[in-house]
């Protein structure tokens, strides 16, 4: 967790087979929330810092990748 950042997330997504990360949005699911109320965009290092602050309590994160060529996820 000491190395988490947006760059780490981009590298992880590439390792999962996504070659062009520039057209992708990465979301994480807040602990205990549903997809419809708990998805948050990973958009800055403050987001990964928040993830680090809760990792000792939950141990597992769900990340979701959205290809923006097909429309974004409406979080509102």
């Amino acid at each position: 967790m000491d190395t988490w950042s947006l760059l780490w997330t981009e590298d992880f997504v590439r390792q999962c087979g996504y070659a062009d990360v520039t057209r992708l949005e990465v979301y994480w699911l807040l602990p205990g929330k549903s997809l419809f109320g708990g998805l948050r965009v990973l958009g800055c290092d403050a987001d990964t810092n928040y993830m680090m602050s809760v990792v000792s309590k939950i141990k597992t994160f769900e990340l979701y990748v959205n290809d923006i060529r097909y429309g974004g996820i409406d979080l509102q």
Side-chain angles (χ1 to χ4, degrees), residues 7 14 19 23 25 27 29 32 39-40 42 46-48 55-56 64-67 69 76:
L7 293 175
R14 280 190 187 97
R23 65 177 191 217
E25 294 173 327
Y27 299 83
L29 184 61
L39 281 182
R40 297 296 183 263
L42 286 178
D47 300 327
T48 55
V55 71
S56 64
Y64 294 84
V65 178
N66 183 50
D67 190 328
R69 291 179 304 166
Q76 295 168 342

Side-chain angles (χ1 to χ4, degrees), residues 9-10 12-14 16-27 41-43 64-72:
T9 305
E10 288 177 4
F12 178 71
V13 169
R14 280 190 187 97
C16 289
Y18 295 94
D20 183 5
V21 297
T22 61
R23 65 177 191 217
L24 302 175
E25 294 173 327
V26 179
Y27 299 83
V41 175
L42 286 178
Y64 294 84
V65 178
N66 183 50
D67 190 328
I68 61 175
R69 291 179 304 166
Y70 303 110

Side-chain angles (χ1 to χ4, degrees), residues 1-2 5 10 14 17 20 23 26 29 35-36 39-41 49-50 54 57-58 60 62 66-69 72-73 75:
M1 94 179 166
D2 293 334
S5 70
E10 288 177 4
R14 280 190 187 97
D20 183 5
R23 65 177 191 217
V26 179
L29 184 61
L35 286 176
F36 299 104
L39 281 182
R40 297 296 183 263
V41 175
N49 289 342
Y50 181 71
V54 298
K57 298 173 192 156
I58 59 171
T60 303
E62 292 183 43
N66 183 50
D67 190 328
I68 61 175
R69 291 179 304 166
I73 296 173
L75 296 177

